[in-house]
Amino acid sequence: MGNFGEEIRQLEDHYFVGRSVELDAFRNIVFSSKSTSTILNISGTGGIGKSSLLDQFRRICAHEGVPFFHLDCVDFTKTPTGFTSRLLAILKTETPAESREDELLQQAEQQMNQLAGHGRLVLAIDTYEEMDELDDWLRNSFLVRLSNRIVILLAGRFPLRGGWVSSPAWRRLIKFMPLSPFDYETCKAYSSIYGEQDESIVRKSYMITKGLPLALSLYMGVLNREQEPEMQLWKETFKEIAGRWLRELPDPALCELLEAATMVRVFNQEILETMLDREVDNDEFDKLIHLSFVRKTERGWYLHQVLRKALYQDFRLRKPQQYHRLWQRSVMYHYGLVSSSHVSMEERNLLLLDYIYVVGDPGFRAMFFDDAIDQTYYLESINQDNLHEAEQYVRDVLATLKDFVQEMFDPVTNEKYIYKIPKSVNEKWFTSIRLAEIIALGNDAIRLLKNEKHEAVGMFVYIPIHRQSLPLLEQNPITRSYFRTLSRQERDKLNVSPESPAGWFQYKIDFSKDGSAAARFMFFQSYLSYYLKGGLMIYSTPMKYLQEAVKGIGYIEVPRATHKAFGPDFPAPVFALDFREDKDMKKFVDNLYRSTKVDNKDEALDAVLSGLTPREREIALLATTCSSNEEIAQKLYLSEITVKKNLSRIYEKLEVKGKTELVKKLLS
């Protein structure tokens, strides 16, 4: 007689389609004694089915009695301590609260190798594209200690690069598994799961979704509820399919929960209740978490990143007033959590990341915030072997140097910011250091941002502060003014081992070769990781907008440290953010909260719009951000005639003469 577990496994196997080549390769690596590969790298764009394939691998291992340990990068901070603590928790190993980094590393190594003594096992790390800070450490400090009977599975958007492929030894151990969209036959098999057998509809769905599994699952949902036969779906993008899917949900309560879930990185029932200001019953919540694109983690649940971005943007454009109200509540909720004194250091760091995603100075958000980026950028640490690439990058920048001017937009308020860096200021940044001296001070002191063609398009320079770097920092014209303000006692606190820097001097982030939101976001990811290391952050710039941006996230200007290393016309204050003590983290969190300026402007807007129907409210609010009726019609999937008729009624109800007066009234 079977049991429920066996029945569930058989059903999950039944609903999994395609990927036969990948499944055979996995079985060969895990179960064949002849396999030379011990590292499996799954890669592919968002929505390609990486997590579903991992789930199938896990089921195969469970059936064969092979231990399968799964870590998701959402569940730990990107530090050695964060990684090893999470791994030990999965291994159900208790660790003392004050364990040092080296102790946790040794304990994790021993536990894994002890398990490997009994046979093969699999260690899977999902969302690997978020491991930036830990990539080198994982390879050079952790994996080298593990038994070769452990299969390492790394799944992320991009294939492994850098040290993984530049070393012939590492490259030999890796089996690369790039995932492609479904072919037509797999798409046909997938459609049959939904009960769709009509060949013409299957072919249409394949052409529209291009075989992308996530798009296909959403499209089948839209198809099942299609009211109008054609609707020009042939031209729809994934974002449009996702937005259409959300709007055509027959369950308004589920739609409301999904809209709230797009606002946060990780959600649970409590945070949704706080944001919606109502009770969410268990049945409602169960419907949400059982959607195919909702994943469970140790900390809660999260939406598939690509879908979350599409739904988030659609929600923000269609319902800006409701969006802002939910944003305010999410700010207050996260502020309460991260301010709590009843959480561990690791929990606080994870909560801080969540908090920064919803809070921050508008200028800072405009420069760095763009969630779920799809472009294939990656960061590569510079050492002696690839120093020539960084030096060539600097030569290229200096050879084509000009004033840097770029428009950026705050994704929350849509407010425009114009960033300018004069040519002479950039020149000083690049000519005041020697890269060869900097890389000797720390493994990650210099990083290059590279695109999918492996071209260097950006540079990131953070100089660690320790006993070996102090002489350089005290002499460099841009960095020295801060260190000359220190008392002997304060300087002694910085005279620490290079293995545990006291902090970092944020010397330069350069994206003059590629100023796209995707490139900036990659730097932002690394930028955040330094916050979690608990040190002293120092920054100096003559540019006013950069000064305001860092002050908006908690930096304090250092008295008597302003210098003119960038030129007599460009005085540069110095700013510090001190995370060496918890009280300073609290100050940082409080400053972020104050920067949001959470207020009650929504109440005034509610009063203006109170006499409009829900459809009229949507159109009226979109009129403030859309340049034409055609654009409003596209966003709401309406005809222009329908938009014009609604606008006429809106003008009459609000007693305005046209769109110009309407926009002025709403924005005032």
Side-chain angles (χ1 to χ4, degrees):
M1 180 180 294
N3 55 40
F4 282 119
E6 180 64 20
E7 185 175 351
I8 291 295
R9 189 190 68 78
Q10 290 176 359
L11 286 171
E12 287 174 332
D13 285 343
H14 171 71
Y15 286 116
F16 184 87
V17 299
R19 308 299 187 204
S20 58
V21 172
E22 289 81 2
L23 295 176
D24 287 344
F26 178 74
R27 290 188 178 97
N28 180 63
I29 290 173
V30 177
F31 305 119
S32 172
S33 58
K34 297 179 181 179
S35 174
T36 58
S37 301
T38 54
I39 299 173
L40 178 57
N41 177 216
I42 302 172
S43 61
T45 187
I48 201 70
K50 297 183 293 294
S51 295
S52 296
L53 184 59
L54 282 184
D55 287 343
Q56 186 68 0
F57 288 163
R58 175 180 52 78
R59 288 191 285 271
I60 290 171
C61 287
H63 185 259
E64 300 295 335
V66 172
F68 187 99
F69 301 105
H70 177 265
L71 283 82
D72 194 308
C73 289
V74 175
D75 287 332
F76 58 88
T77 54
K78 311 312 174 292
T79 62
T81 298
F83 176 87
T84 50
S85 296
R86 179 68 193 129
L87 177 57
L88 288 167
I90 289 174
L91 295 173
K92 296 181 170 47
T93 302
E94 292 187 10
T95 57
E98 301 301 322
S99 295
R100 299 195 316 269
E101 179 182 307
D102 58 336
E103 293 173 336
L104 291 171
L105 176 60
Q106 183 179 17
Q107 195 171 6
E109 167 208 340
Q110 290 174 346
Q111 287 288 311
M112 291 297 291
N113 289 337
Q114 184 177 345
L115 288 169
H118 302 292
R120 281 285 210 190
L121 67 140
V122 178
L123 173 62
I125 304 176
D126 202 358
T127 330
Y128 194 77
E129 68 271 12
E130 294 189 11
M131 283 281 282
D132 286 327
E133 288 297 310
L134 277 188
D135 183 65
D136 288 340
W137 174 87
L138 184 80
R139 184 175 59 254
N140 299 320
S141 299
F142 182 67
L143 295 186
V144 292
R145 298 167 176 252
L146 296 188
S147 164
N148 58 10
R149 300 181 74 180
I150 300 173
V151 175
I152 306 300
L153 201 166
L154 307 177
R157 292 188 191 176
F158 319 123
L160 294 174
R161 297 188 175 98
W164 296 101
V165 295
S166 62
S167 163
W170 280 109
R171 193 166 61 244
R172 179 178 175 274
L173 298 177
I174 301 171
K175 168 68 176 176
F176 291 96
M177 190 179 284
L179 299 186
S180 301
F182 287 162
D183 58 21
Y184 176 72
E185 289 303 318
T186 306
C187 184
K188 187 175 179 180
Y190 187 92
S191 300
S192 69
I193 294 174
Y194 287 81
E196 187 55 67
Q197 304 292 341
D198 188 314
E199 188 81 19
S200 64
I201 291 178
V202 173
R203 188 166 296 281
K204 180 180 176 182
S205 68
Y206 176 64
M207 295 295 292
I208 291 171
T209 65
K210 299 178 176 61
L212 187 72
L214 180 59
L216 186 61
S217 69
L218 293 177
Y219 179 77
M220 296 309 295
V222 172
L223 186 69
N224 290 340
R225 293 186 292 275
E226 188 64 69
Q227 300 295 318
E228 301 163 73
E230 287 302 322
M231 295 296 291
Q232 297 183 331
L233 282 174
W234 290 91
K235 300 179 181 178
E236 288 194 17
T237 63
F238 173 78
K239 178 182 174 183
E240 290 165 340
I241 293 172
R244 186 178 181 82
W245 179 89
L246 179 64
R247 285 190 293 280
E248 295 190 14
L249 271 178
D251 186 341
L254 181 58
C255 180
E256 185 182 41
L257 291 184
L258 267 170
E259 288 172 341
T262 67
M263 306 287 293
V264 293
R265 296 178 74 222
V266 180
F267 67 87
N268 53 39
Q269 198 163 341
E270 180 184 76
I271 189 172
L272 295 183
E273 289 180 334
T274 301
M275 292 172 66
L276 296 172
D277 195 25
R278 69 172 179 82
E279 184 178 341
V280 175
D281 65 46
N282 293 337
D283 288 341
E284 281 184 279
F285 191 71
D286 283 344
K287 286 181 183 178
L288 174 63
I289 63 176
H290 283 97
L291 292 170
S292 61
F293 47 77
V294 175
R295 309 292 297 182
K296 176 75 171 72
T297 76
E298 178 66 22
R299 303 175 57 217
W301 291 263
Y302 68 95
L303 301 181
H304 189 289
Q305 288 188 15
V306 176
L307 180 65
R308 175 183 168 233
K309 182 179 182 181
L311 296 182
Y312 168 86
Q313 292 176 339
D314 181 83
F315 173 46
R316 183 164 61 88
L317 287 171
R318 285 191 304 108
K319 303 179 181 179
Q321 183 182 358
Q322 185 177 341
Y323 163 86
H324 189 65
R325 186 158 49 244
L326 292 183
W327 174 77
Q328 288 180 315
R329 290 172 182 164
S330 68
V331 167
M332 291 185 284
Y333 178 86
H334 284 92
Y335 174 68
L337 286 180
V338 80
S339 300
S340 171
S341 59
H342 303 295
V343 294
S344 67
M345 180 74 75
E346 176 68 8
E347 288 174 313
R348 186 204 66 187
N349 287 343
L350 285 168
L351 290 169
L352 180 62
L353 285 177
D354 296 341
Y355 183 55
I356 291 173
Y357 266 72
V358 295
V359 183
D361 173 81
F364 186 81
R365 284 197 303 259
M367 187 181 300
F368 290 119
F369 183 96
D370 188 19
D371 198 8
I373 291 299
D374 294 320
Q375 288 89 333
T376 53
Y377 293 101
Y378 63 100
L379 286 165
E380 185 173 297
S381 298
I382 299 301
N383 52 42
Q384 199 62 46
D385 293 336
N386 57 0
L387 174 61
H388 63 282
E389 293 188 55
E391 291 176 332
Q392 184 61 53
Y393 177 89
V394 173
R395 286 194 292 269
D396 291 346
V397 170
L398 292 175
T400 57
L401 201 58
K402 57 184 178 182
D403 291 349
F404 175 77
V405 181
Q406 187 167 10
E407 290 185 353
M408 302 177 192
F409 295 85
D410 173 13
V412 174
T413 65
N414 210 35
E415 187 175 353
K416 180 170 73 174
Y417 292 81
I418 299 177
Y419 292 146
K420 300 179 181 178
I421 302 179
K423 173 183 175 180
S424 61
V425 170
N426 255 333
E427 186 175 23
K428 286 290 185 182
W429 256 316
F430 281 111
T431 57
S432 296
I433 59 170
R434 292 183 64 246
L435 300 186
E437 293 180 347
I438 302 300
I439 63 169
L441 301 175
N443 292 332
D444 297 327
I446 302 175
R447 291 181 171 186
L448 285 180
L449 179 71
K450 292 190 172 182
N451 61 20
E452 58 187 356
K453 298 178 181 178
H454 310 295
E455 300 166 331
V457 295
M459 179 177 278
F460 182 101
V461 182
Y462 267 35
I463 304 175
I465 302 171
H466 50 68
R467 68 169 69 102
Q468 292 180 9
S469 66
L470 280 173
L472 180 146
L473 290 166
E474 290 171 335
Q475 295 301 317
N476 180 278
I478 291 174
T479 63
R480 65 190 177 197
S481 67
Y482 168 76
F483 296 92
R484 292 182 178 183
T485 67
L486 301 179
S487 66
R488 179 177 293 277
Q489 185 179 13
E490 290 170 327
R491 188 193 183 282
D492 287 344
K493 291 181 180 179
L494 306 180
N495 191 29
V496 297
S497 164
E499 284 72 36
S500 301
W504 290 265
F505 197 106
Q506 302 162 221
Y507 187 84
K508 176 65 172 170
I509 294 177
D510 180 75
F511 39 78
S512 55
K513 279 192 174 186
D514 185 343
S516 67
R520 298 195 306 272
F521 184 68
M522 286 298 293
F523 283 124
F524 177 56
Q525 291 283 73
S526 287
Y527 187 81
L528 289 182
S529 67
Y530 283 88
Y531 281 43
L532 307 180
K533 296 179 180 180
L536 175 68
M537 312 288 284
I538 308 297
Y539 181 62
S540 180
T541 177
M543 313 317 302
K544 294 290 186 184
Y545 68 88
L546 290 174
Q547 295 169 15
E548 292 304 313
V550 297
K551 284 194 290 186
I553 56 169
Y555 282 69
I556 305 297
E557 184 174 346
V558 179
R560 304 182 306 280
T562 300
H563 60 87
K564 294 186 176 180
F566 294 103
D569 298 328
F570 299 103
V574 177
F575 300 89
L577 188 62
D578 195 342
F579 284 167
R580 290 176 294 181
E581 297 181 30
D582 244 1
K583 64 180 178 63
D584 297 297
M585 180 67 79
K586 178 67 166 63
K587 182 166 56 179
F588 167 69
V589 169
D590 289 343
N591 285 341
L592 269 182
Y593 183 70
R594 282 193 292 271
S595 78
T596 65
K597 300 175 183 175
V598 172
D599 53 35
N600 60 356
K601 287 181 182 178
D602 284 344
E603 294 177 8
L605 193 55
D606 271 335
V608 174
L609 299 174
S610 59
L612 304 185
T613 67
R615 174 64 81 192
E616 288 168 351
R617 290 167 69 96
E618 284 186 337
I619 291 173
L621 290 166
L622 280 175
T624 65
T625 58
C626 295
S627 58
S628 66
N629 291 346
E630 180 184 9
E631 188 178 353
I632 296 173
Q634 288 175 348
K635 291 187 183 302
L636 295 178
Y637 299 93
L638 300 172
S639 67
E640 279 192 73
I641 294 175
T642 302
V643 171
K644 287 178 181 178
K645 287 180 179 178
N646 276 275
L647 280 172
S648 295
R649 290 195 294 270
I650 292 167
Y651 299 154
E652 183 179 347
K653 290 180 179 180
L654 298 187
E655 299 179 344
V656 295
K657 294 180 180 179
K659 189 181 290 185
T660 301
E661 285 193 14
L662 170 66
V663 172
K664 185 177 180 181
K665 185 167 188 172
L666 295 180
L667 294 181
S668 66

